[in-house]
Amino acid sequence: MAIRNIRTIGDEILTKECKPVKFMTPRIALLIEDMFETMYSKDGAGLAAPQVGILKQVVVIDVDDGNQYVLINPEILSTEGSQTGNEGCLSVPGKYGIVTRPEKVKVKALNEQMKPYELEAEGLLARCICHECDHLHGALYVDLAEDGLHDNSEMEEAEGEDA
Ligand code: ZN
């Protein structure tokens, strides 16, 4: 396993559409392991493959709920309600913004064995799924931030995690 370089805002790769994964390969299995290691090394809650320079639809998430989620080719099926809160991104270091997301999402994806599953998520996990799925389609939260970007040092309480 290895920690990979995280691409940051301004890097064109973060604006590109990612391709679906057709089969599990040793290269993608390694990518998933490396994405977890890279995310944990930065105390992130989620990471999408384009953030490490790979234009494939692969997302890893760990919001400290006891699960390590792998979402390959994720597709949000439905959303419910809304939540407004702080959001950060490992590709936009040192910043956060206030973003409104659905309170609940239902997503379908493939796991690391390429088996389809559905996940119903709420709160931080729902926020994180939306954020990471946006990455797969070349979108960053900065375009959704309601009041622009703020420096993390201005945040009164450490709340939320970067993804
Ligand atoms: Zn992000």
Side-chain angles (χ1 to χ4, degrees), residues 51 88-91 131-132 135 140 163:
Q51 294 182 273
C89 179
L90 294 175
S91 294
H131 178 114
E132 302 310 335
H135 274 299
L140 294 177

Side-chain angles (χ1 to χ4, degrees), residues 109-124:
L110 304 174
N111 67 13
E112 62 270 49
Q113 280 88 42
M114 298 300 276
K115 289 224 171 86
Y117 71 101
E118 284 187 13
L119 178 63
E120 291 189 40
E122 57 183 77
L124 178 60

